[in-house]
Amino acid sequence: MRKTVGTAPGQTQCRYCRRRLSSLEHYAGGCCSAPLCKEQQLQEQLEAYRADAARLAEEPRPDRFAIVVVPHREAQLVPIEPERRHTLEDRLNELAVQCAGQPHASVRQPSEPPEPVPAVCSSCHGACCYHGGQHAAFLDEDAIGSFAAEHPELAAPEITEAYLRHVPERHFAGSCVFHTDRGCNLPRTMRAAICNLYECRGLKMARELGRGSHPALFVVVRQDNVIVRGEFVDESRES
């Protein structure tokens, strides 16, 4: 009598849609590869992780914290390479010469972001900032032009120097030159618009949940489908 290897009663079907599992799906956790089923499986994993974290944090009501997921990227803090600083300085000089003393519609960025942006972004540690590593912090004519319009008394070299003063001694390797372990070293009013306006999926979800308020969140940081850490965040807790 021929037997099927690696299967057992009750384990040959997807836990969610009951579709028969392939051998690979069977050993991958009893869930088929359908996106909806994988999403349900992830939600269960996130809720279990939140429950474990709540026990450690002595949080009696973990269900009141909505789960949002943000990306993660491991990196070391390293000294700013002289070449990176020189490249940034050349770009700033070019932009400052174009913008100094020229009429420009100033687009003032808010000095402080609305909740829950700080809490969510501090949990992530700035995965999106790595995209600015090869693009001079996304600084362009609009960013420098807005800054020049806010400070018409500054000549081009002074505009360049104003930005260079915010270059830190150390930043995350491979990331934006201004990306430190405390976040962006540039004031929000000096950043490129995309740096203040971009929202990852997790941040968008958090904003939808809050709709202008500070919602209770459990921020989960994941990398390559592995949970790295989680943090409970609300008005009564520090992120």
Side-chain angles (χ1 to χ4, degrees):
M1 178 177 178
R2 189 172 183 178
K3 295 184 178 180
T4 302
V5 179
T7 60
Q11 296 181 328
T12 60
Q13 293 179 322
C14 174
R15 306 201 317 255
Y16 307 103
C17 70
R18 313 310 299 172
R19 184 176 70 80
R20 184 174 181 82
L21 298 175
S22 68
S23 298
L24 181 60
E25 290 170 339
H26 167 73
Y27 286 109
C31 175
C32 74
S33 56
L36 184 59
C37 296
K38 299 299 287 186
E39 185 175 335
Q40 288 180 270
Q41 184 186 46
L42 173 60
Q43 187 62 30
E44 285 185 2
Q45 292 171 348
L46 294 173
E47 290 174 359
Y49 186 81
R50 180 182 61 184
D52 290 341
R55 284 190 288 271
L56 292 174
E58 299 183 349
E59 169 55 55
R61 295 179 53 207
D63 290 351
R64 77 183 182 89
F65 290 84
I67 299 173
V68 296
V69 180
V70 295
H72 174 74
R73 183 167 178 174
E74 259 329 316
Q76 297 286 328
L77 282 171
V78 297
I80 297 292
E81 306 90 335
E83 305 81 42
R84 292 287 301 276
R85 185 183 176 93
H86 292 154
T87 299
L88 176 66
E89 185 173 1
D90 289 345
R91 176 62 174 158
L92 287 169
N93 282 331
E94 176 187 349
L95 292 169
V97 168
Q98 293 178 28
C99 299
Q102 300 298 318
H104 190 93
S106 175
V107 182
R108 178 179 287 277
Q109 301 293 335
S111 59
E112 294 296 335
E115 295 294 354
V117 174
V120 176
C121 291
S122 65
S123 299
C124 166
H125 295 176
C128 61
C129 299
Y130 285 84
H131 299 292
Q134 304 302 318
H135 298 90
F138 296 112
L139 295 173
D140 57 12
E141 292 85 351
D142 286 338
I144 302 304
S146 292
F147 179 77
E150 291 287 337
H151 302 277
E153 75 283 2
L154 297 182
E158 294 171 308
I159 293 174
T160 296
E161 182 57 32
Y163 275 85
L164 292 179
R165 279 198 296 268
H166 292 286
V167 174
E169 292 185 2
R170 298 169 68 85
H171 77 139
F172 282 113
S175 189
C176 175
V177 69
F178 296 105
H179 185 194
T180 75
D181 56 345
R182 299 180 306 277
C184 181
N185 221 44
L186 273 180
R188 288 179 63 83
T189 54
M190 296 178 72
R191 299 176 198 172
I194 190 174
C195 297
N196 288 328
L197 299 176
Y198 173 76
E199 295 183 351
C200 67
R201 182 180 178 184
L203 183 53
K204 287 179 181 177
M205 182 181 296
R207 291 284 296 276
E208 282 297 310
L209 289 167
R211 294 190 179 278
S213 66
H214 192 319
L217 302 173
F218 183 60
V219 184
V220 176
V221 182
R222 293 176 78 234
Q223 181 178 21
D224 297 331
N225 297 322
V226 175
I227 295 175
V228 178
R229 62 181 176 273
E231 299 179 33
F232 290 101
V233 174
D234 69 1
E235 290 179 319
S236 64
R237 293 173 179 265
E238 293 184 0
S239 63

